[in-house]
Coordinates of all heavy atoms in Angstrom, one line a residue:
M1367 N 136.3 158.4 257.7 CA 135.9 157.6 258.8 C 134.6 156.9 258.4 O 133.7 157.4 257.8 CB 135.6 158.5 260.0 CG 135.2 157.8 261.2 SD 134.5 158.9 262.5 CE 136.0 159.8 263.0
K1368 N 134.6 155.6 258.8 CA 133.4 154.8 258.5 C 132.5 154.8 259.8 O 133.0 154.6 260.9 CB 133.7 153.4 258.1 CG 134.4 153.2 256.8 CD 134.7 151.8 256.5 CE 135.5 151.7 255.2 NZ 135.9 150.3 254.9
I1369 N 131.2 155.0 259.7 CA 130.3 155.0 260.8 C 129.2 154.0 260.6 O 128.6 153.9 259.6 CB 129.7 156.4 261.0 CG1 130.9 157.4 261.3 CG2 128.7 156.4 262.2 CD1 130.4 158.8 261.4
L1370 N 129.0 153.2 261.7 CA 127.9 152.2 261.7 C 126.8 152.7 262.5 O 127.0 153.0 263.7 CB 128.4 150.9 262.2 CG 127.4 149.7 262.3 CD1 126.9 149.3 261.0 CD2 128.0 148.5 263.1
I1371 N 125.6 152.7 262.0 CA 124.4 153.1 262.7 C 123.5 151.9 262.8 O 123.2 151.2 261.8 CB 123.6 154.3 262.0 CG1 124.5 155.5 262.0 CG2 122.3 154.5 262.7 CD1 123.9 156.7 261.3
I1372 N 123.1 151.6 264.1 CA 122.2 150.5 264.3 C 120.8 151.0 264.4 O 120.5 151.8 265.4 CB 122.6 149.7 265.6 CG1 124.0 149.4 265.7 CG2 121.7 148.4 265.7 CD1 124.6 148.4 264.7
G1373 N 119.9 150.6 263.5 CA 118.5 151.0 263.6 C 118.1 152.1 262.6 O 118.7 153.1 262.5
G1374 N 117.1 151.7 261.7 CA 116.7 152.6 260.7 C 115.3 153.3 261.0 O 114.5 153.4 260.1
G1375 N 115.2 153.7 262.3 CA 114.0 154.5 262.6 C 114.4 156.0 262.2 O 115.4 156.2 261.6
I1376 N 113.5 156.9 262.6 CA 113.7 158.3 262.2 C 115.1 158.8 262.7 O 115.8 159.6 262.1 CB 112.6 159.2 262.6 CG1 112.6 160.6 262.0 CG2 112.4 159.3 264.1 CD1 112.4 160.6 260.5
G1377 N 115.4 158.4 264.0 CA 116.7 158.8 264.6 C 117.9 158.3 263.7 O 118.8 159.1 263.4
G1378 N 117.9 157.0 263.4 CA 119.0 156.5 262.7 C 119.1 157.0 261.2 O 120.2 157.4 260.7
L1379 N 117.9 157.2 260.6 CA 117.9 157.7 259.2 C 118.4 159.1 259.1 O 119.2 159.5 258.3 CB 116.5 157.5 258.6 CG 116.2 156.1 258.3 CD1 114.6 156.0 258.0 CD2 117.0 155.4 257.3
A1380 N 117.9 159.9 260.1 CA 118.3 161.3 260.1 C 119.8 161.5 260.4 O 120.5 162.3 259.7 CB 117.4 162.1 261.2
T1381 N 120.3 160.7 261.4 CA 121.7 160.8 261.7 C 122.5 160.4 260.5 O 123.5 161.0 260.1 CB 122.0 159.8 262.9 OG1 121.2 160.2 264.0 CG2 123.4 159.9 263.3
A1382 N 122.1 159.3 259.8 CA 122.8 158.9 258.6 C 122.8 160.0 257.5 O 123.8 160.3 256.9 CB 122.2 157.6 258.0
G1383 N 121.7 160.6 257.3 CA 121.6 161.7 256.3 C 122.5 162.8 256.6 O 123.2 163.3 255.7
F1384 N 122.5 163.3 257.9 CA 123.4 164.4 258.3 C 124.9 164.0 258.2 O 125.7 164.8 257.7 CB 123.0 164.9 259.6 CG 121.8 165.8 259.7 CD1 120.6 165.4 260.2 CD2 121.8 167.0 259.0 CE1 119.5 166.2 260.2 CE2 120.7 167.9 259.0 CZ 119.6 167.4 259.6
L1385 N 125.2 162.8 258.6 CA 126.6 162.4 258.5 C 127.1 162.3 257.1 O 128.2 162.7 256.8 CB 126.8 161.1 259.3 CG 126.7 161.2 260.9 CD1 126.7 159.8 261.5 CD2 127.9 162.0 261.4
E1386 N 126.2 161.7 256.3 CA 126.6 161.7 254.8 C 126.8 163.1 254.2 O 127.7 163.3 253.4 CB 125.5 160.9 254.0 CG 125.7 159.4 254.2 CD 124.8 158.6 253.2 OE1 123.9 159.2 252.6 OE2 125.0 157.4 253.1
K1387 N 125.9 164.0 254.6 CA 126.1 165.4 254.1 C 127.5 166.0 254.6 O 128.0 166.8 253.9 CB 125.0 166.3 254.6 CG 123.7 166.2 253.8 CD 122.5 166.9 254.4 CE 122.6 168.4 254.2 NZ 122.0 168.8 253.0
K1388 N 127.9 165.5 255.7 CA 129.3 166.0 256.2 C 130.4 165.2 255.6 O 131.6 165.4 255.9 CB 129.3 165.8 257.7 CG 128.4 166.7 258.5 CD 129.0 168.1 258.7 CE 128.1 169.0 259.5 NZ 128.6 170.4 259.5
G1389 N 130.1 164.2 254.7 CA 131.2 163.5 254.0 C 131.6 162.1 254.7 O 132.6 161.5 254.2
F1390 N 130.9 161.7 255.7 CA 131.3 160.5 256.3 C 130.7 159.3 255.5 O 129.6 159.4 254.9 CB 130.8 160.4 257.8 CG 131.4 161.4 258.7 CD1 130.8 162.5 259.1 CD2 132.7 161.1 259.1 CE1 131.4 163.4 260.0 CE2 133.3 162.0 260.0 CZ 132.7 163.2 260.4
E1391 N 131.4 158.1 255.6 CA 130.9 156.9 255.0 C 130.0 156.2 256.1 O 130.5 155.8 257.1 CB 132.0 156.0 254.6 CG 131.5 154.8 253.8 CD 132.7 153.9 253.4 OE1 133.8 154.4 253.2 OE2 132.5 152.7 253.3
V1392 N 128.7 156.1 255.8 CA 127.8 155.6 256.8 C 127.2 154.3 256.3 O 126.8 154.1 255.2 CB 126.6 156.6 257.0 CG1 125.6 156.1 258.0 CG2 127.2 158.0 257.5
H1393 N 127.2 153.3 257.2 CA 126.5 152.1 257.0 C 125.4 151.9 258.1 O 125.7 152.2 259.3 CB 127.5 150.9 257.1 CG 128.5 150.9 256.1 ND1 128.3 150.3 254.9 CD2 129.7 151.5 256.0 CE1 129.4 150.6 254.1 NE2 130.3 151.3 254.8
L1394 N 124.2 151.7 257.6 CA 123.1 151.5 258.5 C 122.5 150.1 258.5 O 122.3 149.6 257.4 CB 122.0 152.6 258.2 CG 120.8 152.8 259.1 CD1 120.3 154.2 259.1 CD2 119.7 151.9 258.7
V1395 N 122.3 149.5 259.7 CA 121.7 148.2 259.7 C 120.4 148.3 260.4 O 120.2 149.0 261.4 CB 122.6 147.1 260.3 CG1 123.8 146.8 259.5 CG2 123.0 147.5 261.7
E1396 N 119.4 147.6 259.9 CA 118.0 147.6 260.4 C 117.6 146.1 260.5 O 117.7 145.3 259.6 CB 117.1 148.4 259.5 CG 115.6 148.2 259.8 CD 115.2 148.5 261.2 OE1 115.5 149.6 261.7 OE2 114.6 147.7 261.8
R1397 N 117.1 145.8 261.7 CA 116.7 144.4 261.9 C 115.4 144.0 261.2 O 115.2 142.8 260.9 CB 116.6 144.1 263.4 CG 115.5 144.7 264.1 CD 115.5 144.3 265.6 NE 114.5 145.1 266.3 CZ 114.4 145.1 267.6 NH1 115.2 144.4 268.4 NH2 113.5 145.9 268.2
A1398 N 114.5 145.0 261.0 CA 113.3 144.6 260.3 C 113.6 144.3 258.8 O 114.5 144.9 258.2 CB 112.3 145.9 260.3
P1399 N 112.9 143.2 258.3 CA 113.2 142.8 257.0 C 112.9 143.8 255.9 O 113.4 143.7 254.8 CB 112.5 141.5 256.9 CG 111.4 141.5 257.9 CD 111.9 142.4 259.0
E1400 N 111.9 144.6 256.2 CA 111.5 145.6 255.1 C 110.9 146.9 255.8 O 110.4 146.8 257.0 CB 110.5 145.0 254.2 CG 109.2 144.6 254.9 CD 108.2 144.0 254.0 OE1 108.0 144.5 252.8 OE2 107.5 143.0 254.3
F1401 N 110.9 148.0 255.1 CA 110.1 149.2 255.6 C 108.7 149.0 255.0 O 108.6 148.9 253.8 CB 110.8 150.4 255.1 CG 112.1 150.7 255.7 CD1 113.3 150.5 255.1 CD2 112.2 151.3 257.0 CE1 114.5 150.8 255.7 CE2 113.4 151.5 257.6 CZ 114.6 151.3 257.0
K1402 N 107.7 149.1 255.8 CA 106.4 149.0 255.3 C 105.4 150.0 255.9 O 105.6 150.4 257.0 CB 105.9 147.6 255.4 CG 105.8 147.0 256.8 CD 105.3 145.6 256.7 CE 105.3 145.0 258.1 NZ 104.9 143.6 258.2
H1403 N 104.4 150.3 255.2 CA 103.4 151.2 255.6 C 102.5 150.5 256.5 O 101.9 149.5 256.2 CB 102.7 151.8 254.4 CG 101.9 153.0 254.7 ND1 100.9 153.1 255.6 CD2 102.0 154.3 254.2 CE1 100.4 154.3 255.6 NE2 101.0 155.0 254.8
I1404 N 102.3 151.0 257.8 CA 101.4 150.3 258.7 C 100.2 151.1 259.1 O 99.4 150.8 260.0 CB 102.1 149.8 260.0 CG1 102.9 150.9 260.7 CG2 103.1 148.7 259.7 CD1 103.5 150.5 262.0
G1405 N 100.0 152.1 258.3 CA 98.6 152.8 258.4 C 98.5 153.9 259.4 O 97.3 154.4 259.6
F1406 N 99.6 154.4 260.0 CA 99.4 155.5 261.0 C 99.5 156.8 260.3 O 100.2 157.0 259.3 CB 100.5 155.4 262.0 CG 100.4 154.3 263.0 CD1 101.2 153.2 262.9 CD2 99.4 154.3 264.0 CE1 101.0 152.2 263.9 CE2 99.2 153.4 264.9 CZ 100.0 152.3 264.8
S1407 N 98.8 157.8 260.8 CA 99.1 159.2 260.4 C 100.3 159.6 261.1 O 100.8 159.0 262.1 CB 97.9 160.1 260.7 OG 97.8 160.1 262.1
M1408 N 100.9 160.7 260.7 CA 102.1 161.2 261.4 C 102.0 162.7 261.6 O 101.8 163.4 260.6 CB 103.3 160.8 260.5 CG 104.7 161.1 261.3 SD 106.0 160.4 260.2 CE 107.1 161.8 260.3
T1409 N 102.2 163.1 262.8 CA 102.3 164.5 263.1 C 103.7 165.0 263.0 O 104.6 164.5 263.8 CB 101.7 164.8 264.5 OG1 100.4 164.2 264.6 CG2 101.6 166.3 264.7
L1410 N 104.0 166.0 262.2 CA 105.4 166.4 262.1 C 105.4 167.8 262.7 O 104.8 168.8 262.2 CB 105.6 166.5 260.6 CG 107.1 166.7 260.1 CD1 108.0 165.7 260.8 CD2 107.2 166.6 258.6
F1411 N 106.2 167.9 263.8 CA 106.3 169.2 264.5 C 107.3 170.1 263.9 O 108.1 169.6 263.0 CB 106.6 168.9 266.0 CG 105.5 168.2 266.7 CD1 105.4 166.8 266.8 CD2 104.5 168.9 267.2 CE1 104.4 166.2 267.4 CE2 103.4 168.3 267.9 CZ 103.4 167.0 268.0
P1412 N 107.3 171.4 264.2 CA 108.2 172.4 263.5 C 109.7 172.0 263.5 O 110.4 172.2 262.6 CB 107.9 173.7 264.2 CG 106.5 173.5 264.7 CD 106.4 172.1 265.1
N1413 N 110.1 171.4 264.7 CA 111.5 171.1 264.7 C 111.9 169.9 263.7 O 112.9 169.9 263.1 CB 112.0 170.8 266.1 CG 111.1 169.7 266.8 OD1 110.1 169.3 266.3 ND2 111.6 169.2 268.0
G1414 N 110.9 169.0 263.6 CA 111.2 167.9 262.6 C 111.1 168.4 261.2 O 111.9 168.0 260.4
R1415 N 110.2 169.3 261.0 CA 110.1 169.9 259.6 C 111.4 170.6 259.2 O 111.9 170.6 258.1 CB 108.9 170.8 259.6 CG 108.5 171.4 258.2 CD 107.6 170.4 257.5 NE 107.5 170.8 256.1 CZ 106.5 171.5 255.7 NH1 105.5 171.9 256.5 NH2 106.3 171.8 254.4
R1416 N 112.0 171.3 260.2 CA 113.2 172.1 260.0 C 114.3 171.1 259.6 O 115.1 171.3 258.7 CB 113.6 172.9 261.2 CG 114.9 173.7 261.0 CD 115.2 174.5 262.3 NE 115.2 173.8 263.5 CZ 116.2 173.2 264.0 NH1 117.3 173.0 263.2 NH2 116.2 172.6 265.1
L1417 N 114.4 170.0 260.3 CA 115.4 169.0 260.0 C 115.2 168.4 258.6 O 116.2 168.2 257.8 CB 115.5 167.9 261.0 CG 115.9 168.3 262.4 CD1 115.9 167.1 263.4 CD2 117.3 168.9 262.3
L1418 N 114.0 168.2 258.2 CA 113.8 167.7 256.8 C 114.2 168.7 255.8 O 114.8 168.3 254.7 CB 112.3 167.4 256.6 CG 111.7 166.2 257.3 CD1 110.2 166.0 256.9 CD2 112.5 164.9 257.1
R1419 N 113.9 170.0 256.1 CA 114.5 171.0 255.2 C 116.0 171.0 255.1 O 116.5 171.1 254.0 CB 114.0 172.5 255.6 CG 112.6 172.8 255.1 CD 112.4 174.3 255.3 NE 112.2 174.7 256.6 CZ 111.1 174.6 257.3 NH1 110.0 174.2 256.7 NH2 110.9 174.9 258.6
E1420 N 116.6 170.9 256.2 CA 118.1 170.9 256.3 C 118.7 169.6 255.5 O 119.7 169.7 255.0 CB 118.6 170.9 257.7 CG 118.4 172.3 258.4 CD 118.9 172.2 259.8 OE1 119.6 171.3 260.3 OE2 118.5 173.2 260.6
L1421 N 117.9 168.5 255.5 CA 118.3 167.3 254.8 C 118.0 167.4 253.3 O 118.4 166.6 252.5 CB 117.7 166.1 255.4 CG 118.3 165.5 256.7 CD1 117.4 164.5 257.3 CD2 119.7 165.0 256.4
G1422 N 117.2 168.4 253.0 CA 116.8 168.6 251.5 C 115.7 167.7 251.1 O 115.6 167.4 249.9
I1423 N 114.9 167.2 252.0 CA 113.9 166.2 251.6 C 112.5 166.7 252.1 O 111.6 165.9 252.3 CB 114.2 164.8 252.2 CG1 114.4 164.9 253.7 CG2 115.3 164.2 251.5 CD1 114.5 163.5 254.4
D1424 N 112.3 168.0 252.2 CA 111.0 168.5 252.7 C 110.0 168.9 251.5 O 108.8 169.1 251.8 CB 111.3 169.8 253.5 CG 110.1 170.5 254.1 OD1 109.4 169.8 254.8 OD2 109.8 171.6 253.7
D1425 N 110.5 168.8 250.3 CA 109.6 169.3 249.2 C 108.2 168.8 249.1 O 107.3 169.5 249.0 CB 110.3 168.9 247.8 CG 111.4 169.9 247.6 OD1 111.6 170.9 248.3 OD2 112.2 169.7 246.6
G1426 N 108.0 167.4 249.3 CA 106.7 166.9 249.2 C 105.8 167.0 250.4 O 104.6 166.7 250.3
V1427 N 106.3 167.4 251.5 CA 105.6 167.3 252.8 C 104.4 168.2 252.8 O 103.3 167.8 253.1 CB 106.5 167.7 254.0 CG1 105.7 167.8 255.3 CG2 107.6 166.6 254.1
G1428 N 104.6 169.4 252.3 CA 103.4 170.4 252.3 C 102.3 169.9 251.4 O 101.1 170.1 251.7
K1429 N 102.6 169.2 250.3 CA 101.6 168.7 249.4 C 100.9 167.4 250.0 O 99.7 167.2 249.8 CB 102.3 168.4 248.0 CG 102.7 169.6 247.3 CD 103.3 169.2 246.0 CE 104.1 170.3 245.4 NZ 105.4 169.9 244.8
A1430 N 101.7 166.6 250.7 CA 101.1 165.3 251.1 C 100.3 165.5 252.4 O 99.4 164.7 252.7 CB 102.3 164.4 251.4
G1431 N 100.6 166.6 253.1 CA 99.8 166.7 254.4 C 99.1 168.0 254.5 O 98.8 168.7 253.5
Y1432 N 98.7 168.4 255.7 CA 98.1 169.7 255.8 C 98.4 170.2 257.2 O 98.8 169.5 258.1 CB 96.5 169.6 255.7 CG 95.9 168.7 256.7 CD1 95.3 169.3 257.9 CD2 95.7 167.4 256.5 CE1 94.7 168.5 258.9 CE2 95.1 166.6 257.4 CZ 94.6 167.2 258.6 OH 94.0 166.3 259.6
E1433 N 98.4 171.5 257.4 CA 98.8 172.2 258.7 C 97.6 172.1 259.7 O 96.5 172.3 259.3 CB 99.1 173.7 258.4 CG 100.4 173.8 257.7 CD 100.9 175.2 257.8 OE1 100.5 176.0 258.6 OE2 101.8 175.6 257.0
L1434 N 98.0 171.7 260.9 CA 97.0 171.6 262.0 C 96.7 173.0 262.4 O 97.7 173.7 262.8 CB 97.6 170.8 263.2 CG 97.7 169.3 263.0 CD1 98.4 168.7 264.2 CD2 96.4 168.6 262.7
P1435 N 95.5 173.4 262.5 CA 95.2 174.8 263.0 C 95.4 174.9 264.5 O 95.7 176.0 265.0 CB 93.7 175.0 262.7 CG 93.2 173.6 262.4 CD 94.3 172.7 262.0
W1436 N 95.3 173.8 265.2 CA 95.6 173.8 266.7 C 96.0 172.4 267.1 O 95.7 171.5 266.4 CB 94.5 174.4 267.5 CG 93.3 173.5 267.8 CD1 93.2 172.7 268.9 CD2 92.2 173.3 267.0 NE1 92.1 172.0 268.8 CE2 91.4 172.3 267.6 CE3 91.8 173.8 265.8 CZ2 90.2 171.9 267.1 CZ3 90.6 173.4 265.3 CH2 89.8 172.5 265.9
F1437 N 96.5 172.3 268.3 CA 96.9 171.0 268.8 C 96.8 171.0 270.3 O 97.2 171.9 271.0 CB 98.4 170.7 268.4 CG 98.9 169.3 268.9 CD1 98.7 168.2 268.1 CD2 99.6 169.2 270.1 CE1 99.2 167.0 268.5 CE2 100.0 168.0 270.5 CZ 99.8 166.8 269.7
E1438 N 96.1 170.0 270.8 CA 95.8 169.8 272.3 C 96.2 168.4 272.7 O 95.9 167.5 271.9 CB 94.4 170.2 272.7 CG 94.1 171.6 272.4 CD 92.6 171.9 272.7 OE1 91.8 171.0 272.6 OE2 92.3 173.1 273.1
L1439 N 96.7 168.2 273.8 CA 97.0 166.9 274.4 C 96.4 166.7 275.7 O 96.6 167.5 276.6 CB 98.6 166.7 274.4 CG 99.1 165.4 274.8 CD1 98.8 164.4 273.7 CD2 100.6 165.5 275.1
A1440 N 95.6 165.6 275.8 CA 95.0 165.3 277.1 C 95.5 164.0 277.7 O 96.0 163.1 277.0 CB 93.5 165.2 276.9
D1441 N 95.5 163.9 279.1 CA 95.8 162.6 279.7 C 94.6 161.7 279.6 O 93.6 162.0 279.0 CB 96.3 162.8 281.1 CG 95.2 163.4 282.0 OD1 94.0 163.2 281.7 OD2 95.5 163.9 283.1
A1442 N 94.8 160.5 280.2 CA 93.7 159.4 280.0 C 92.4 159.9 280.6 O 91.3 159.3 280.3 CB 94.2 158.1 280.6
K1443 N 92.4 160.8 281.6 CA 91.1 161.3 282.2 C 90.6 162.5 281.5 O 89.6 163.1 282.0 CB 91.4 161.6 283.6 CG 91.7 160.3 284.5 CD 91.9 160.7 285.9 CE 92.1 159.4 286.7 NZ 92.7 159.6 288.0
G1444 N 91.2 162.9 280.4 CA 90.7 164.0 279.6 C 91.2 165.4 280.1 O 90.7 166.4 279.6
H1445 N 92.1 165.4 281.1 CA 92.7 166.7 281.5 C 93.7 167.2 280.5 O 94.5 166.4 280.1 CB 93.3 166.6 282.9 CG 92.4 166.1 283.9 ND1 92.6 165.0 284.7 CD2 91.2 166.6 284.3 CE1 91.6 164.8 285.5 NE2 90.7 165.8 285.3
M1446 N 93.6 168.4 280.1 CA 94.5 168.9 279.1 C 96.0 169.0 279.7 O 96.2 169.5 280.8 CB 94.1 170.3 278.6 CG 92.7 170.4 278.1 SD 92.4 169.1 276.8 CE 93.5 169.5 275.6
V1447 N 96.9 168.4 278.9 CA 98.3 168.5 279.3 C 98.9 169.8 278.8 O 99.6 170.5 279.4 CB 99.0 167.2 278.8 CG1 100.5 167.3 279.1 CG2 98.4 166.0 279.4
F1448 N 98.6 170.1 277.5 CA 98.9 171.4 276.9 C 98.1 171.6 275.7 O 97.4 170.7 275.2 CB 100.4 171.5 276.6 CG 100.9 170.7 275.5 CD1 100.8 171.0 274.1 CD2 101.6 169.4 275.8 CE1 101.3 170.2 273.1 CE2 102.1 168.6 274.8 CZ 101.9 169.0 273.5
Ligands
FAD1629 C1 101.6 154.6 267.4 C2 102.7 155.7 267.4 C3 102.5 156.9 266.8 C4 103.4 157.9 266.8 N1 103.2 159.1 266.2 C5 104.1 160.1 266.2 C6 103.9 161.3 265.4 O1 102.8 161.4 264.8 N2 104.8 162.2 265.4 C7 106.0 162.0 266.1 O2 106.9 163.0 266.0 N3 106.2 160.9 266.8 C8 105.3 159.9 266.8 N4 105.6 158.8 267.5 C9 106.9 158.7 268.2 C10 107.9 158.3 267.2 O3 107.5 157.2 266.4 C11 109.2 158.0 267.9 O4 109.6 159.0 268.8 C12 110.3 157.7 266.9 O5 109.9 156.7 266.0 C13 111.6 157.3 267.6 O6 112.5 157.1 266.6 P1 113.8 156.3 266.9 O7 114.6 156.3 265.6 O8 114.6 156.8 268.1 O9 113.4 154.8 267.3 P2 112.6 153.8 266.5 O10 111.6 154.4 265.6 O11 112.1 152.8 267.5 O12 113.6 153.1 265.6 C14 114.6 152.2 266.1 C15 114.9 151.2 264.9 O13 116.0 150.4 265.3 C16 115.7 149.1 264.9 N5 116.5 148.2 265.8 C17 116.4 148.1 267.1 N6 117.3 147.2 267.6 C18 118.1 146.9 266.5 C19 119.2 146.0 266.4 N7 119.8 145.4 267.4 N8 119.7 145.8 265.1 C20 119.2 146.5 264.1 N9 118.1 147.3 264.2 C21 117.6 147.5 265.4 C22 114.2 148.9 265.1 O14 113.7 147.8 264.3 C23 113.7 150.3 264.6 O15 113.5 150.3 263.2 C24 104.7 157.7 267.5 C25 104.9 156.5 268.1 C26 104.0 155.5 268.1 C27 104.2 154.2 268.8

């Protein structure tokens, strides 16, 4: 079966990776002309890290980043959300 995925964000790329691992022929189209670094940091939560491990692409993550000792989220008025 051939599968077409529209969009090469994390959702499209992860879906393509898992479908390819299952043996499907995947074609992915992305409207952006190139993937480029735009300077953001990225917080990788445990569920995302687990998926990277399942895709077999987690090796460099521990070396490239560091573990957050804690994480808090506030709304615009400074009230803690969690
Ligand atoms: C500033 C910022 C910081 C963030 N930081 C984090 C973070 O640290 N950790 C975290 O977990 N999440 C973070 N997020 C949220 C995270 O980026 C999104 O949840 C995630 O990117 C969503 O992925 P997605 O694949 O669903 O969509 P997208 O990343 O939006 O990808 C969709 C892709 O589809 C392409 N596309 C759309 N329409 C078409 C079309 N018609 N044809 C072809 N291609 C198309 C777009 O160009 C795009 O590349 C952040 C978001 C922002 C804005």
Side-chain angles (χ1 to χ4, degrees):
M1367 183 192 291
K1368 293 181 182 175
I1369 297 175
L1370 176 65
I1371 294 176
I1372 312 292
I1376 191 69
L1379 292 171
T1381 303
F1384 281 111
L1385 288 170
E1386 278 189 348
K1387 277 172 78 86
K1388 292 276 183 192
F1390 293 104
E1391 185 181 332
V1392 179
H1393 296 270
L1394 186 148
V1395 292
E1396 167 55 53
R1397 69 179 168 189
E1400 61 177 322
F1401 290 103
K1402 58 183 178 184
H1403 198 297
I1404 54 174
F1406 288 106
S1407 64
M1408 191 173 130
T1409 307
L1410 193 53
F1411 293 92
N1413 53 350
R1415 188 85 191 265
R1416 179 175 55 79
L1417 292 179
L1418 290 185
R1419 272 195 292 276
E1420 288 177 16
L1421 282 168
I1423 54 173
D1424 180 60
D1425 282 354
V1427 173
K1429 291 181 195 137
Y1432 63 92
E1433 286 193 19
L1434 290 176
W1436 79 91
F1437 181 85
E1438 295 177 332
L1439 186 67
D1441 65 19
K1443 292 181 177 166
H1445 301 126
M1446 300 314 293
V1447 178
F1448 67 84

